[in-house]
Amino acid sequence: MSTLIKNIQCLVGTRIENELLRSKDLSILPCIENAYLIIEGKNISAYGSMDDLKETSKHSFDEVIDAKGSFLLPTWCDSHTHLVFAGSRENEFVDKLNGLSYAEIAAKGGGILNSAKKLNDATEEELFLTAWKRLEELSKLGTGAIEIKSGYGLTLDAEIKMLRVIKKLKEKSSLTIKSTFLGAHTFPLEFKENHEGYINILINEMLPVIAKEKLADYIDVFCEIGFFSVDEMERICKAGLQWGLKPKLHINQLNSIGGIQSAVKMNAISADHLETMTDADIADLSNSNTIGTLLPTAAFFLRMPFQPARQMIDRGCAIALASDYNPGSSPSGNMNFVVALSCIQMKMLPEEAINAATINAAFAMEVEKELGSVQIGKKANFIFTKPLHSLSYIPYSFGTNLIDRVMINGEFIN
Ligand code: NIG
Ligand code: FE
């Protein structure tokens, strides 16, 4: 099956090199105006200016799509989500609006443990169906690849249940999915005073089953005061690495406690959240291969200071953007809003935000060889926009859905 897409107003992200972008390079977003693109099967086989498309070749395709007026962007790579969860937590949201503190909400059984209780009560089938629905919604919003974490199970059975749901999503969905084991999301109540007991379960009971069933690609730990210490994180990650799971970590959301230095030392794929960054944290991250994944919608929803994107970019950190979709701190997986918010609140340039949500985000989930830019051989995953005048109009007109249709593996999704 060969497809020609002609009259593309602007083909965005036409990169020759497949490199993780830092500093000034993050603001360079190569585009071709009035372009064509050819797809063979599921992959990009050629592209260029309409002026260079030979008249004769226009007739030799199985399908010709006229994209007149549309910009074509690589689909978003959302490299940090908790897409599989049961129920929702809008009651906690209203409690907070009424002035209850985090501690008071936790005392009422709220937070991660609230989601864990709901998840333990849900069947694998129920979890699959709700996650599938969310995935469908996100694909219509332009997400073509997504990382999904466990971490609302917190028992052997429930963590495995979550990871099996993610595995089934991988098998059934045309989106590219990566799976992360986040058993170390919080300590279950019965282990609050017995950290060793839970860490022992994580390392000696959960990890061997996960490895045997090939249920995860990465390991994650919520490194934070009141959750897992740096030392605990390192032990858990070391055990994960022995099973081939590389770290992608929740770091510096509320406090800077040495998580960055530890992530860098462990050569983590990414350090995510980063609302609270010291000067030294930024310096250490910038001297590493670990990608700083910023989750601005979590900061927005929790009314926290936004991540210091500008300083991080200017000082050479490699950054990506992700949604953190979860029922507690970011009940939205809309990457268009993530991109807009990054420009509006973190002063990222539209080109920087788009690069951080496509090519750099592809690196943050190790799918850069197949996704994240327009390159021959990569998957034909595209956002077709409604008619636009400029790329900057996308974050500028936040909240407006500018997506006309989405193509995954060379086919439009419904
Ligand atoms: O990434 N910070 C840790 N975990 C999630 C929130 C979990 C929840 O509240 O359910 C996050 O923001
Ligand atoms: Fe998260």
Side-chain angles (χ1 to χ4, degrees):
M1 172 82 178
S2 62
T3 305
L4 167 68
I5 307 175
K6 61 178 189 178
N7 299 326
I8 302 165
Q9 190 179 328
C10 183
L11 182 61
V12 178
T14 48
R15 296 190 171 279
I16 311 295
E17 306 293 339
N18 214 21
E19 281 171 352
L20 182 62
L21 304 172
R22 298 170 189 265
S23 307
K24 280 265 169 270
D25 289 345
L26 190 67
S27 64
I28 299 168
L29 181 55
C31 298
I32 301 176
E33 285 180 20
N34 192 26
Y36 75 89
L37 182 127
I38 298 170
I39 301 167
E40 288 293 341
K42 297 177 175 182
N43 303 97
I44 300 166
S45 66
Y47 63 86
S49 164
M50 278 301 283
D51 299 337
D52 299 330
L53 180 64
K54 295 189 187 63
E55 204 45 50
T56 47
S57 66
K58 286 184 193 167
H59 304 290
S60 52
F61 296 94
D62 298 315
E63 190 186 9
V64 177
I65 297 165
D66 192 337
K68 213 168 173 42
S70 277
F71 280 50
L72 255 69
L73 285 83
T75 49
W76 309 124
C77 293
D78 191 350
S79 65
H80 179 138
T81 82
H82 309 248
L83 183 91
V84 176
F85 57 87
S88 54
R89 303 207 323 246
E90 68 274 25
N91 53 338
E92 289 177 24
F93 170 64
V94 175
D95 281 347
K96 272 189 217 157
L97 298 179
N98 280 320
L100 261 64
S101 68
Y102 183 82
E104 286 165 326
I105 291 169
K108 283 177 76 178
I112 296 170
L113 292 175
N114 182 356
S115 288
K117 187 177 176 321
K118 291 186 164 88
L119 189 127
N120 273 267
D121 293 342
T123 65
E124 200 172 308
E125 186 60 14
E126 283 162 356
L127 290 172
F128 174 78
L129 289 174
T130 50
W132 181 261
K133 204 162 157 258
R134 287 178 203 125
L135 204 55
E136 278 193 323
E137 278 165 16
L138 296 187
S139 62
K140 287 180 202 151
L141 292 168
T143 296
I146 188 164
E147 180 261 13
I148 309 175
K149 299 171 194 299
S150 71
Y152 289 124
L154 308 179
T155 60
L156 172 65
D157 286 353
E159 282 294 311
I160 300 299
K161 178 168 70 176
M162 275 190 93
L163 290 166
R164 285 193 184 133
V165 170
I166 303 171
K167 191 176 183 183
K168 198 163 155 197
L169 292 170
K170 272 191 191 186
E171 287 161 4
K172 304 236 174 207
S173 174
S174 56
L175 303 199
T176 302
I177 298 176
K178 289 283 178 114
S179 169
T180 300
F181 171 50
L182 176 58
H185 201 183
T186 190
F187 287 95
L189 269 187
E190 59 275 32
F191 290 102
K192 267 278 166 256
E193 306 304 326
N194 175 16
H195 285 197
E196 282 313 306
Y198 188 58
I199 293 171
N200 181 44
I201 295 175
L202 288 172
I203 294 178
N204 297 317
E205 293 184 25
M206 296 189 193
L207 272 173
V209 181
I210 291 163
K212 190 162 161 258
E213 288 192 34
K214 292 194 173 35
L215 290 173
D217 302 299
Y218 302 107
I219 188 152
D220 192 349
V221 177
F222 184 23
C223 180
E224 186 55 67
I225 294 173
F227 294 81
F228 291 81
S229 68
V230 171
D231 195 48
E232 290 166 343
M233 170 172 78
E234 288 192 3
R235 285 171 52 212
I236 296 161
C237 288
K238 207 169 145 212
L241 270 169
Q242 282 170 352
W243 293 107
L245 307 182
K246 295 182 212 166
K248 271 173 74 65
L249 305 163
H250 279 74
I251 301 269
N252 286 38
Q253 182 181 13
L254 310 170
N255 296 282
S256 169
I257 56 170
I260 291 288
Q261 291 67 26
S262 169
V264 166
K265 187 176 78 185
M266 293 190 288
N267 216 359
I269 297 289
S270 68
D272 304 13
H273 265 293
L274 314 187
E275 283 86 333
T276 314
M277 292 288 277
T278 64
D279 250 27
D281 290 336
I282 296 178
D284 290 339
L285 190 65
S286 73
N287 285 320
S288 78
N289 292 323
T290 298
I291 299 169
T293 298
L294 313 182
L295 313 172
T297 48
F300 169 73
F301 189 77
L302 298 179
R303 290 187 206 88
M304 287 195 56
F306 283 89
Q307 291 82 0
R310 236 357 326 135
Q311 282 129 282
M312 290 178 67
I313 296 166
D314 296 345
R315 290 175 61 187
C317 297
I319 65 150
L321 289 168
S323 76
D324 197 19
Y325 192 6
N326 77 77
S329 64
S330 181
S332 159
N334 187 340
M335 284 295 287
N336 306 283
F337 185 56
V338 170
V339 166
L341 202 55
S342 308
C343 299
I344 298 163
Q345 290 289 352
M346 306 200 297
K347 297 194 175 155
M348 287 176 69
L349 298 170
E351 293 82 1
E352 290 176 325
I354 292 169
N355 278 329
T358 53
I359 185 67
N360 274 16
F363 273 94
M365 53 187 294
E366 296 185 296
V367 294
E368 75 280 0
K369 290 198 174 71
E370 50 187 291
L371 289 165
S373 64
V374 180
Q375 210 182 25
I376 291 170
K378 282 196 175 183
K379 285 189 178 177
N381 280 20
F382 295 106
I383 293 172
F384 284 60
T385 70
K386 292 175 185 161
L388 288 184
H389 294 297
S390 78
L391 211 55
S392 309
Y393 191 77
I394 297 175
Y396 160 82
S397 62
F398 79 96
T400 308
N401 188 357
L402 294 170
I403 297 178
D404 183 36
R405 44 191 175 162
V406 175
M407 175 178 273
I408 301 287
N409 298 332
E411 285 180 28
F412 288 115
I413 57 165
N414 296 322

mmCIF file of all heavy atoms in Angstrom, residues 83-87 115-135 161-162 164-166 168-169:
data_model
loop_
_atom_site.group_PDB
_atom_site.id
_atom_site.type_symbol
_atom_site.label_atom_id
_atom_site.label_comp_id
_atom_site.label_asym_id
_atom_site.label_seq_id
_atom_site.Cartn_x
_atom_site.Cartn_y
_atom_site.Cartn_z
ATOM 1 N N LEU A 83 -1.851 5.972 33.039
ATOM 2 C CA LEU A 83 -3.129 5.863 32.318
ATOM 3 C C LEU A 83 -4.082 4.820 32.877
ATOM 4 O O LEU A 83 -5.301 4.945 32.748
ATOM 5 C CB LEU A 83 -2.842 5.560 30.842
ATOM 6 C CG LEU A 83 -4.055 5.496 29.939
ATOM 7 C CD1 LEU A 83 -4.334 6.863 29.338
ATOM 8 C CD2 LEU A 83 -3.861 4.481 28.817
ATOM 9 N N VAL A 84 -3.511 3.757 33.479
ATOM 10 C CA VAL A 84 -4.379 2.703 34.035
ATOM 11 C C VAL A 84 -4.720 3.044 35.484
ATOM 12 O O VAL A 84 -3.848 3.060 36.350
ATOM 13 C CB VAL A 84 -3.674 1.325 33.968
ATOM 14 C CG1 VAL A 84 -4.539 0.258 34.621
ATOM 15 C CG2 VAL A 84 -3.362 0.962 32.522
ATOM 16 N N PHE A 85 -5.954 3.400 35.723
ATOM 17 C CA PHE A 85 -6.412 3.653 37.097
ATOM 18 C C PHE A 85 -7.899 3.375 37.184
ATOM 19 O O PHE A 85 -8.583 3.283 36.162
ATOM 20 C CB PHE A 85 -6.072 5.080 37.566
ATOM 21 C CG PHE A 85 -6.606 6.203 36.717
ATOM 22 C CD1 PHE A 85 -7.874 6.723 36.930
ATOM 23 C CD2 PHE A 85 -5.831 6.756 35.699
ATOM 24 C CE1 PHE A 85 -8.366 7.763 36.151
ATOM 25 C CE2 PHE A 85 -6.322 7.811 34.909
ATOM 26 C CZ PHE A 85 -7.587 8.316 35.154
ATOM 27 N N ALA A 86 -8.380 3.223 38.415
ATOM 28 C CA ALA A 86 -9.799 2.911 38.614
ATOM 29 C C ALA A 86 -10.481 4.117 39.241
ATOM 30 O O ALA A 86 -9.956 4.720 40.174
ATOM 31 C CB ALA A 86 -9.932 1.695 39.526
ATOM 32 N N GLY A 87 -11.658 4.445 38.739
ATOM 33 C CA GLY A 87 -12.431 5.545 39.321
ATOM 34 C C GLY A 87 -11.750 6.882 39.097
ATOM 35 O O GLY A 87 -10.916 7.039 38.206
ATOM 36 N N SER A 115 -6.608 5.696 45.279
ATOM 37 C CA SER A 115 -6.623 5.052 43.953
ATOM 38 C C SER A 115 -6.247 3.580 44.065
ATOM 39 O O SER A 115 -6.748 2.747 43.311
ATOM 40 C CB SER A 115 -5.658 5.766 43.000
ATOM 41 O OG SER A 115 -6.185 7.020 42.641
ATOM 42 N N ALA A 116 -5.348 3.257 45.012
ATOM 43 C CA ALA A 116 -4.925 1.860 45.169
ATOM 44 C C ALA A 116 -6.104 1.007 45.650
ATOM 45 O O ALA A 116 -6.290 -0.127 45.192
ATOM 46 C CB ALA A 116 -3.756 1.762 46.140
ATOM 47 N N LYS A 117 -6.907 1.565 46.533
ATOM 48 C CA LYS A 117 -8.056 0.804 47.033
ATOM 49 C C LYS A 117 -9.027 0.528 45.883
ATOM 50 O O LYS A 117 -9.471 -0.599 45.673
ATOM 51 C CB LYS A 117 -8.746 1.598 48.152
ATOM 52 C CG LYS A 117 -9.813 0.774 48.806
ATOM 53 C CD LYS A 117 -10.519 1.410 49.962
ATOM 54 C CE LYS A 117 -11.631 0.488 50.454
ATOM 55 N NZ LYS A 117 -12.365 -0.202 49.397
ATOM 56 N N LYS A 118 -9.302 1.579 45.114
ATOM 57 C CA LYS A 118 -10.229 1.424 43.980
ATOM 58 C C LYS A 118 -9.673 0.413 42.968
ATOM 59 O O LYS A 118 -10.404 -0.397 42.412
ATOM 60 C CB LYS A 118 -10.446 2.773 43.285
ATOM 61 C CG LYS A 118 -11.231 3.790 44.123
ATOM 62 C CD LYS A 118 -11.522 5.029 43.277
ATOM 63 C CE LYS A 118 -12.604 5.912 43.849
ATOM 64 N NZ LYS A 118 -12.103 6.902 44.796
ATOM 65 N N LEU A 119 -8.363 0.487 42.742
ATOM 66 C CA LEU A 119 -7.776 -0.414 41.743
ATOM 67 C C LEU A 119 -7.807 -1.861 42.214
ATOM 68 O O LEU A 119 -8.063 -2.777 41.428
ATOM 69 C CB LEU A 119 -6.339 -0.011 41.419
ATOM 70 C CG LEU A 119 -5.794 -0.803 40.234
ATOM 71 C CD1 LEU A 119 -5.236 0.107 39.161
ATOM 72 C CD2 LEU A 119 -4.805 -1.861 40.639
ATOM 73 N N ASN A 120 -7.557 -2.057 43.505
ATOM 74 C CA ASN A 120 -7.600 -3.431 44.028
ATOM 75 C C ASN A 120 -8.986 -4.042 43.864
ATOM 76 O O ASN A 120 -9.124 -5.248 43.657
ATOM 77 C CB ASN A 120 -7.138 -3.456 45.487
ATOM 78 C CG ASN A 120 -5.622 -3.603 45.590
ATOM 79 O OD1 ASN A 120 -5.108 -4.700 45.707
ATOM 80 N ND2 ASN A 120 -4.901 -2.486 45.497
ATOM 81 N N ASP A 121 -10.030 -3.187 43.943
ATOM 82 C CA ASP A 121 -11.407 -3.678 43.813
ATOM 83 C C ASP A 121 -11.817 -3.927 42.355
ATOM 84 O O ASP A 121 -12.831 -4.583 42.100
ATOM 85 C CB ASP A 121 -12.392 -2.666 44.436
ATOM 86 C CG ASP A 121 -12.219 -2.590 45.955
ATOM 87 O OD1 ASP A 121 -11.622 -3.526 46.525
ATOM 88 O OD2 ASP A 121 -12.665 -1.586 46.559
ATOM 89 N N ALA A 122 -11.079 -3.363 41.408
ATOM 90 C CA ALA A 122 -11.485 -3.470 39.993
ATOM 91 C C ALA A 122 -10.931 -4.742 39.355
ATOM 92 O O ALA A 122 -9.872 -5.228 39.746
ATOM 93 C CB ALA A 122 -10.969 -2.255 39.224
ATOM 94 N N THR A 123 -11.679 -5.262 38.366
ATOM 95 C CA THR A 123 -11.185 -6.445 37.654
ATOM 96 C C THR A 123 -10.242 -6.008 36.532
ATOM 97 O O THR A 123 -10.252 -4.850 36.104
ATOM 98 C CB THR A 123 -12.336 -7.242 37.000
ATOM 99 O OG1 THR A 123 -12.912 -6.406 35.978
ATOM 100 C CG2 THR A 123 -13.396 -7.625 38.022
ATOM 101 N N GLU A 124 -9.460 -6.972 36.064
ATOM 102 C CA GLU A 124 -8.525 -6.689 34.966
ATOM 103 C C GLU A 124 -9.298 -6.181 33.738
ATOM 104 O O GLU A 124 -8.872 -5.245 33.061
ATOM 105 C CB GLU A 124 -7.760 -7.980 34.647
ATOM 106 C CG GLU A 124 -6.485 -7.733 33.904
ATOM 107 C CD GLU A 124 -5.644 -8.990 33.761
ATOM 108 O OE1 GLU A 124 -5.376 -9.659 34.771
ATOM 109 O OE2 GLU A 124 -5.269 -9.293 32.629
ATOM 110 N N GLU A 125 -10.440 -6.787 33.496
ATOM 111 C CA GLU A 125 -11.260 -6.415 32.343
ATOM 112 C C GLU A 125 -11.755 -4.969 32.457
ATOM 113 O O GLU A 125 -11.687 -4.193 31.496
ATOM 114 C CB GLU A 125 -12.447 -7.401 32.238
ATOM 115 C CG GLU A 125 -13.323 -7.260 31.008
ATOM 116 C CD GLU A 125 -12.561 -7.472 29.690
ATOM 117 O OE1 GLU A 125 -11.429 -7.974 29.707
ATOM 118 O OE2 GLU A 125 -13.128 -7.075 28.641
ATOM 119 N N GLU A 126 -12.256 -4.625 33.661
ATOM 120 C CA GLU A 126 -12.722 -3.237 33.876
ATOM 121 C C GLU A 126 -11.587 -2.241 33.663
ATOM 122 O O GLU A 126 -11.757 -1.203 33.015
ATOM 123 C CB GLU A 126 -13.247 -3.063 35.314
ATOM 124 C CG GLU A 126 -14.626 -3.641 35.567
ATOM 125 C CD GLU A 126 -14.940 -3.841 37.056
ATOM 126 O OE1 GLU A 126 -14.052 -3.591 37.916
ATOM 127 O OE2 GLU A 126 -16.039 -4.275 37.355
ATOM 128 N N LEU A 127 -10.424 -2.572 34.207
ATOM 129 C CA LEU A 127 -9.269 -1.670 34.067
ATOM 130 C C LEU A 127 -8.874 -1.529 32.605
ATOM 131 O O LEU A 127 -8.547 -0.433 32.142
ATOM 132 C CB LEU A 127 -8.074 -2.206 34.871
ATOM 133 C CG LEU A 127 -8.215 -2.125 36.385
ATOM 134 C CD1 LEU A 127 -7.070 -2.858 37.065
ATOM 135 C CD2 LEU A 127 -8.269 -0.666 36.847
ATOM 136 N N PHE A 128 -8.917 -2.650 31.888
ATOM 137 C CA PHE A 128 -8.555 -2.605 30.473
ATOM 138 C C PHE A 128 -9.526 -1.707 29.701
ATOM 139 O O PHE A 128 -9.106 -0.843 28.925
ATOM 140 C CB PHE A 128 -8.541 -4.014 29.860
ATOM 141 C CG PHE A 128 -8.313 -3.975 28.380
ATOM 142 C CD1 PHE A 128 -7.040 -3.778 27.871
ATOM 143 C CD2 PHE A 128 -9.383 -4.084 27.494
ATOM 144 C CE1 PHE A 128 -6.821 -3.689 26.504
ATOM 145 C CE2 PHE A 128 -9.175 -3.998 26.119
ATOM 146 C CZ PHE A 128 -7.892 -3.806 25.629
ATOM 147 N N LEU A 129 -10.809 -1.891 29.944
ATOM 148 C CA LEU A 129 -11.812 -1.140 29.165
ATOM 149 C C LEU A 129 -11.728 0.370 29.421
ATOM 150 O O LEU A 129 -11.810 1.171 28.497
ATOM 151 C CB LEU A 129 -13.223 -1.659 29.465
ATOM 152 C CG LEU A 129 -13.521 -3.055 28.887
ATOM 153 C CD1 LEU A 129 -14.877 -3.556 29.354
ATOM 154 C CD2 LEU A 129 -13.446 -3.049 27.356
ATOM 155 N N THR A 130 -11.536 0.750 30.701
ATOM 156 C CA THR A 130 -11.451 2.200 30.982
ATOM 157 C C THR A 130 -10.151 2.773 30.413
ATOM 158 O O THR A 130 -10.140 3.884 29.867
ATOM 159 C CB THR A 130 -11.543 2.495 32.495
ATOM 160 O OG1 THR A 130 -10.614 1.653 33.190
ATOM 161 C CG2 THR A 130 -12.933 2.275 33.042
ATOM 162 N N ALA A 131 -9.067 2.012 30.521
ATOM 163 C CA ALA A 131 -7.795 2.505 29.982
ATOM 164 C C ALA A 131 -7.873 2.595 28.452
ATOM 165 O O ALA A 131 -7.356 3.533 27.841
ATOM 166 C CB ALA A 131 -6.657 1.587 30.404
ATOM 167 N N TRP A 132 -8.532 1.622 27.847
ATOM 168 C CA TRP A 132 -8.676 1.607 26.381
ATOM 169 C C TRP A 132 -9.415 2.871 25.902
ATOM 170 O O TRP A 132 -9.045 3.502 24.922
ATOM 171 C CB TRP A 132 -9.422 0.348 25.957
ATOM 172 C CG TRP A 132 -9.583 0.235 24.476
ATOM 173 C CD1 TRP A 132 -10.678 0.557 23.740
ATOM 174 C CD2 TRP A 132 -8.578 -0.207 23.549
ATOM 175 N NE1 TRP A 132 -10.438 0.339 22.401
ATOM 176 C CE2 TRP A 132 -9.158 -0.133 22.256
ATOM 177 C CE3 TRP A 132 -7.261 -0.656 23.677
ATOM 178 C CZ2 TRP A 132 -8.454 -0.486 21.104
ATOM 179 C CZ3 TRP A 132 -6.563 -1.012 22.516
ATOM 180 C CH2 TRP A 132 -7.162 -0.928 21.258
ATOM 181 N N LYS A 133 -10.463 3.225 26.654
ATOM 182 C CA LYS A 133 -11.254 4.408 26.309
ATOM 183 C C LYS A 133 -10.381 5.674 26.408
ATOM 184 O O LYS A 133 -10.412 6.536 25.536
ATOM 185 C CB LYS A 133 -12.450 4.499 27.267
ATOM 186 C CG LYS A 133 -13.591 5.269 26.720
ATOM 187 C CD LYS A 133 -14.889 4.985 27.467
ATOM 188 C CE LYS A 133 -15.838 6.137 27.276
ATOM 189 N NZ LYS A 133 -15.915 7.029 28.416
ATOM 190 N N ARG A 134 -9.595 5.742 27.479
ATOM 191 C CA ARG A 134 -8.698 6.907 27.630
ATOM 192 C C ARG A 134 -7.689 6.961 26.483
ATOM 193 O O ARG A 134 -7.407 8.025 25.937
ATOM 194 C CB ARG A 134 -7.931 6.821 28.965
ATOM 195 C CG ARG A 134 -8.788 7.104 30.159
ATOM 196 C CD ARG A 134 -8.021 6.970 31.480
ATOM 197 N NE ARG A 134 -8.993 6.706 32.530
ATOM 198 C CZ ARG A 134 -8.968 5.678 33.366
ATOM 199 N NH1 ARG A 134 -7.966 4.821 33.346
ATOM 200 N NH2 ARG A 134 -9.925 5.527 34.248
ATOM 201 N N LEU A 135 -7.169 5.779 26.128
ATOM 202 C CA LEU A 135 -6.177 5.708 25.050
ATOM 203 C C LEU A 135 -6.787 6.192 23.725
ATOM 204 O O LEU A 135 -6.157 6.931 22.969
ATOM 205 C CB LEU A 135 -5.717 4.254 24.925
ATOM 206 C CG LEU A 135 -4.355 3.969 24.312
ATOM 207 C CD1 LEU A 135 -3.265 4.738 25.035
ATOM 208 C CD2 LEU A 135 -4.062 2.477 24.379
ATOM 209 N N LYS A 161 -1.610 -7.237 38.053
ATOM 210 C CA LYS A 161 -2.867 -6.991 37.315
ATOM 211 C C LYS A 161 -2.724 -5.727 36.442
ATOM 212 O O LYS A 161 -3.060 -5.737 35.253
ATOM 213 C CB LYS A 161 -4.012 -6.832 38.336
ATOM 214 C CG LYS A 161 -5.371 -6.526 37.741
ATOM 215 C CD LYS A 161 -6.493 -6.677 38.768
ATOM 216 C CE LYS A 161 -6.488 -5.605 39.836
ATOM 217 N NZ LYS A 161 -7.611 -5.679 40.773
ATOM 218 N N MET A 162 -2.205 -4.669 37.035
ATOM 219 C CA MET A 162 -2.021 -3.415 36.277
ATOM 220 C C MET A 162 -1.090 -3.614 35.096
ATOM 221 O O MET A 162 -1.347 -3.138 33.988
ATOM 222 C CB MET A 162 -1.382 -2.345 37.174
ATOM 223 C CG MET A 162 -2.322 -1.572 38.025
ATOM 224 S SD MET A 162 -1.469 -0.158 38.788
ATOM 225 C CE MET A 162 -1.820 1.141 37.604
ATOM 226 N N ARG A 164 -0.377 -6.341 33.555
ATOM 227 C CA ARG A 164 -0.983 -7.197 32.503
ATOM 228 C C ARG A 164 -1.944 -6.374 31.647
ATOM 229 O O ARG A 164 -2.078 -6.605 30.448
ATOM 230 C CB ARG A 164 -1.718 -8.379 33.138
ATOM 231 C CG ARG A 164 -0.750 -9.430 33.638
ATOM 232 C CD ARG A 164 -1.478 -10.725 33.969
ATOM 233 N NE ARG A 164 -0.545 -11.683 34.535
ATOM 234 C CZ ARG A 164 -0.768 -12.401 35.634
ATOM 235 N NH1 ARG A 164 -1.918 -12.282 36.282
ATOM 236 N NH2 ARG A 164 0.121 -13.235 36.082
ATOM 237 N N VAL A 165 -2.627 -5.431 32.283
ATOM 238 C CA VAL A 165 -3.514 -4.541 31.520
ATOM 239 C C VAL A 165 -2.684 -3.737 30.517
ATOM 240 O O VAL A 165 -3.039 -3.614 29.337
ATOM 241 C CB VAL A 165 -4.303 -3.596 32.470
ATOM 242 C CG1 VAL A 165 -5.030 -2.518 31.682
ATOM 243 C CG2 VAL A 165 -5.288 -4.400 33.316
ATOM 244 N N ILE A 166 -1.552 -3.221 30.979
ATOM 245 C CA ILE A 166 -0.691 -2.438 30.071
ATOM 246 C C ILE A 166 -0.194 -3.337 28.928
ATOM 247 O O ILE A 166 -0.169 -2.926 27.766
ATOM 248 C CB ILE A 166 0.493 -1.798 30.840
ATOM 249 C CG1 ILE A 166 -0.014 -0.908 31.980
ATOM 250 C CG2 ILE A 166 1.372 -0.985 29.885
ATOM 251 C CD1 ILE A 166 1.066 -0.402 32.931
ATOM 252 N N LYS A 168 -1.693 -5.877 27.659
ATOM 253 C CA LYS A 168 -2.810 -6.112 26.736
ATOM 254 C C LYS A 168 -3.044 -4.865 25.867
ATOM 255 O O LYS A 168 -3.339 -4.977 24.673
ATOM 256 C CB LYS A 168 -4.068 -6.442 27.560
ATOM 257 C CG LYS A 168 -5.152 -7.115 26.770
ATOM 258 C CD LYS A 168 -6.166 -7.774 27.703
ATOM 259 C CE LYS A 168 -7.507 -7.910 27.050
ATOM 260 N NZ LYS A 168 -8.594 -8.151 27.993
ATOM 261 N N LEU A 169 -2.895 -3.682 26.472
ATOM 262 C CA LEU A 169 -3.030 -2.438 25.685
ATOM 263 C C LEU A 169 -1.971 -2.422 24.584
ATOM 264 O O LEU A 169 -2.249 -2.076 23.439
ATOM 265 C CB LEU A 169 -2.871 -1.207 26.577
ATOM 266 C CG LEU A 169 -3.970 -0.945 27.613
ATOM 267 C CD1 LEU A 169 -3.547 0.156 28.585
ATOM 268 C CD2 LEU A 169 -5.298 -0.561 26.951
#
